[in-house]
Amino acid sequence: MPKFHKIALIVSILVLVVILSPFIYLEVNKNIYENRVTNYLLEVRIYDEEEIASVEGVFGFKMPKFYTTVTFENEPYVEYTYFAHNEVLQFDYEILDEEHKGISEEELKNLE
């Protein structure tokens, strides 16, 4: 392989790495936060895996940059927000279904 082709290949690879690194960074961090919250729910809060409908890492444009949303099987109309920076804590919730908008905090089954 001529020297020019080697240099072009190396430069192309470096450019590709620079372009893809922000996307990789976002996905890796979202997965880290998902795993922290999942482990917290399973090991500390003692939920069964079947009780958790979804755990999704999210990149937000406000502070904090990364957080996790959780939906439980027994409350599919509520999305709980968890922060998992130093320790995992439930921060907020959002009622997704218009039918359940009037529900009180006392009626929420998974509110900490």
Side-chain angles (χ1 to χ4, degrees):
M1 184 183 282
K3 186 174 182 179
F4 174 75
H5 291 306
K6 287 181 183 178
I7 292 173
L9 180 64
I10 290 171
V11 169
S12 298
I13 291 172
L14 288 174
V15 167
L16 187 64
V17 167
V18 168
I19 291 171
L20 292 179
S21 62
F23 300 105
I24 294 169
Y25 169 78
L26 291 176
E27 288 304 314
V28 166
N29 275 305
K30 288 181 351 184
N31 283 334
I32 289 170
Y33 285 86
E34 283 178 26
N35 290 336
R36 284 183 188 169
V37 170
T38 301
N39 289 338
Y40 169 78
L41 292 173
L42 296 176
E43 296 172 8
V44 176
R45 301 295 297 173
I46 317 295
Y47 283 99
D48 289 330
E49 284 187 43
E50 298 81 33
E51 294 177 286
I52 302 169
S54 70
V55 179
E56 184 178 343
V58 178
F59 172 74
F61 292 101
K62 298 179 184 177
M63 291 296 287
K65 294 286 185 196
F66 294 97
Y67 58 93
T68 305
T69 59
V70 177
T71 306
F72 294 94
E73 288 290 338
N74 63 354
E75 289 180 315
Y77 49 87
V78 181
E79 185 177 79
Y80 292 92
T81 302
Y82 285 83
F83 292 156
H85 300 286
N86 295 326
E87 62 182 283
V88 177
L89 64 107
Q90 189 181 77
F91 179 73
D92 198 11
Y93 67 90
E94 180 182 358
I95 299 174
L96 304 173
D97 189 355
E98 288 293 327
E99 179 181 323
H100 294 92
K101 285 288 185 191
I103 196 169
S104 68
E105 286 189 356
E106 292 80 30
E107 296 175 276
L108 295 173
K109 300 172 186 145
N110 300 295
L111 186 65
E112 296 179 18

